[in-house]
Amino acid sequence: MSAAPRERSVFLALLPWPERVQVARALRTETVGGLVLLAAAVVALVWANTPWSGAYEQIRDVHFGIPALGLDLSVEHWTADGLLTIFFLVAGIELKRELVVGELRTPATAALPVVAAVCGMVVPAAVYLATTGLGGGSAQGWAVPMATDIAFALAVLAVLSTHLPSALRAFLLTLAVVDDLGAILVIAVFFTADLNPVALAGAVAGLVVFYLLQRYRVRGLWWYVPLGVAIWALTYNGGVHATVAGVAMGLILRTTRDEGEKVSPGERTEHLLRPVSAGVAVPLFALFAAGVSISGAALGEVFTRPEPLGVVIGLVVGKSVGIFAGTYVAARFTGARLNPDLAWADVFALAVLAGIGFTVALLIGELAFPDPADAEYIKAAVLLGSLIAAAVAALLVKRRNGIYRRLWEAETRDEDADGIPDIYQQTNRGSAAGDS
């Protein structure tokens, strides 16, 4: 007698209720932050292309800090090396939660989003290298088109007034989390200055102390804030980009609750810092990083110089092809079947949307091209590539918006007003939601 065929998992199915609550909370803040980010980018672009652009550059280049500690930085560098550390700290907590209780907790569920995210990083890098290789350009910007900006992507969706089902939004969030990890690994390995072993040893020692405080359940911001600042400063002086310290601390924070504990330290920290990250840190970075002087000649350079052209094609084509192909292949080999209410066209629209690579792409662009003249072209390419990806994704998403709205209304209908959508209380769904 032959064995019964293994039941195929459903890709982009209805999320379990506890996971959906977590995802909705995270995406709500990121959406609002994305709109602020969008406004900051517009202000920066307008300001940098007005007669008052000199004032913009003067403010951006003002230095302050503590020179004796090696922390005399410009406003631009404080936002990139300092404020973005908060962004990566939150990203580290997100990744830890995904690894412990989310989509990445088991190899079976992690395979599909991880393969999709990795392909979404490798293919854009390969496209960039192919473009610069054929054009005789520099290969040093290969990592620029690898990153996805979840906040900017959600802002685009908010502006479109679309209603993506929660599973599609969760898949986009998981892609971005893995993407952030890849970006920080690239920054740590390939974009380090002259290393200072003593400072790095101090940073590692600080992280060990941070871990022990978590291990022995020590509470109190007066322990963690000074220690976190010290770890950040030592990492910066050690020659490794300071944002790496944020991810490291985020991964150390405990995301599971002890008995009788209402929220874990990771949840508490994320609740406190996510609004700061989304509403302050990332928009301020955008304000001082996106101020690119745009002219007809400059835009022409984007399409004639191999480096910026490689960035644009990498974001628009590489991201779309990489994520879609990776998702399709992973689904085939893992035996997952697509949610019958959705189509592969929806996955492709999400892959195109992931070509919005604003925040981290700008950061990597500054690290890869330290010459301000070259960096300006790369910034323009990131902005243009992200804009093209957003426009194409908007067309694809709007085309399917009727279907998304119907699914979203079914997911959120709560006729008995008990705070839990009715779909989770149906007989065939209730046991699944309760088991998760």
Side-chain angles (χ1 to χ4, degrees):
M1 183 177 178
S2 60
R6 182 168 61 90
E7 185 178 353
R8 300 170 69 190
S9 60
V10 179
F11 172 48
L12 298 180
L14 182 70
L15 294 177
W17 176 242
E19 187 174 342
R20 180 179 164 182
V21 171
Q22 287 282 356
V23 169
R25 185 180 298 122
L27 293 180
R28 190 180 304 115
T29 306
E30 292 291 349
T31 300
V32 175
L35 293 171
V36 180
L37 168 63
L38 189 60
V42 171
V43 169
L45 282 171
V46 172
W47 194 358
N49 289 275
T50 64
W52 301 280
S53 59
Y56 173 81
E57 294 172 0
Q58 287 178 352
I59 295 173
R60 185 182 61 187
D61 296 335
V62 168
H63 277 66
F64 65 94
I66 308 174
L69 298 180
L71 297 175
D72 184 24
L73 309 178
S74 67
V75 170
E76 182 180 16
H77 282 126
W78 273 114
T79 57
D81 293 272
L83 290 180
L84 275 195
T85 301
I86 300 174
F87 166 80
F88 279 106
L89 173 58
V90 174
I93 296 171
E94 285 178 344
L95 178 62
K96 178 73 172 287
R97 186 179 65 244
E98 289 290 329
L99 290 169
V100 175
V101 297
E103 287 292 308
L104 307 181
R105 67 185 179 277
T106 63
T109 56
L112 203 149
V114 168
V115 170
V118 170
C119 290
M121 291 184 283
V122 172
V123 174
V127 168
Y128 175 90
L129 291 173
T131 304
T132 54
L134 292 173
S138 170
Q140 67 194 58
W142 60 273
V144 176
M146 290 174 58
T148 294
D149 193 313
I150 180 68
F152 213 123
L154 291 171
V156 170
L157 294 177
V159 170
L160 291 174
S161 298
T162 189
H163 296 82
L164 282 190
S166 57
L168 278 173
R169 290 177 181 266
F171 184 61
L172 181 62
L173 178 62
T174 306
L175 281 176
V177 168
V178 179
D179 208 276
D180 287 339
L181 175 63
I184 205 67
L185 288 174
V186 166
I187 291 171
V189 174
F190 296 100
F191 297 106
T192 56
D194 295 332
L195 298 180
N196 182 334
V198 175
L200 284 180
V204 171
L207 289 171
V208 171
V209 173
F210 196 98
Y211 168 77
L212 292 174
L213 292 175
Q214 284 289 289
R215 177 72 176 79
Y216 291 103
R217 305 305 194 258
V218 177
R219 300 174 183 272
L221 291 176
W222 52 85
W223 291 101
Y224 292 100
V225 172
L227 180 59
V229 172
I231 292 170
W232 171 82
L234 288 166
T235 304
Y236 176 82
N237 282 289
V240 176
H241 200 272
T243 52
V244 174
V247 172
M249 288 185 281
L251 288 172
I252 291 173
L253 280 169
R254 180 167 53 87
T255 55
T256 54
R257 303 175 189 176
D258 288 339
E259 186 176 351
E261 197 174 39
K262 292 184 177 180
V263 292
S264 67
E267 290 175 303
R268 187 182 304 111
T269 305
E270 184 182 14
H271 177 72
L272 289 173
L273 291 184
R274 184 180 287 279
V276 178
S277 170
V280 179
V282 174
L284 279 178
F285 168 75
L287 180 63
F288 293 106
V292 180
S293 179
I294 297 177
S295 64
L299 290 177
E301 290 280 351
V302 169
F303 292 103
T304 55
R305 293 180 57 164
E307 296 87 358
L309 180 61
V311 169
V312 172
I313 298 177
L315 287 172
V316 178
V317 179
K319 271 288 184 183
S320 305
V321 172
I323 291 176
F324 181 79
T327 304
Y328 184 79
V329 170
R332 295 280 292 182
F333 279 98
T334 58
R337 60 185 177 88
L338 186 65
N339 182 341
D341 290 324
L342 298 171
W344 282 105
D346 303 307
V347 180
F348 183 72
L350 213 64
V352 176
L353 188 67
I356 300 174
F358 190 76
T359 304
V360 180
L362 289 174
L363 175 62
I364 295 178
E366 290 182 347
L367 298 174
F369 295 92
D371 184 338
D374 292 333
E376 288 294 295
Y377 293 117
I378 297 301
K379 286 182 180 181
V382 170
L383 295 172
L384 189 59
S386 298
L387 181 62
I388 294 172
V392 176
L395 292 174
L396 295 174
V397 169
K398 271 298 187 183
R399 182 170 170 267
R400 300 272 296 173
N401 196 39
I403 295 171
Y404 299 152
R405 184 179 294 276
R406 176 175 56 81
L407 293 173
W408 181 83
E409 288 174 350
E411 286 184 4
T412 55
R413 187 176 295 114
D414 183 19
E415 293 183 356
D416 55 5
D418 64 349
I420 300 177
D422 299 337
I423 196 170
Y424 287 95
Q425 297 172 319
Q426 296 172 5
T427 303
N428 60 337
R429 296 286 193 185
S431 58
D435 293 340
S436 49

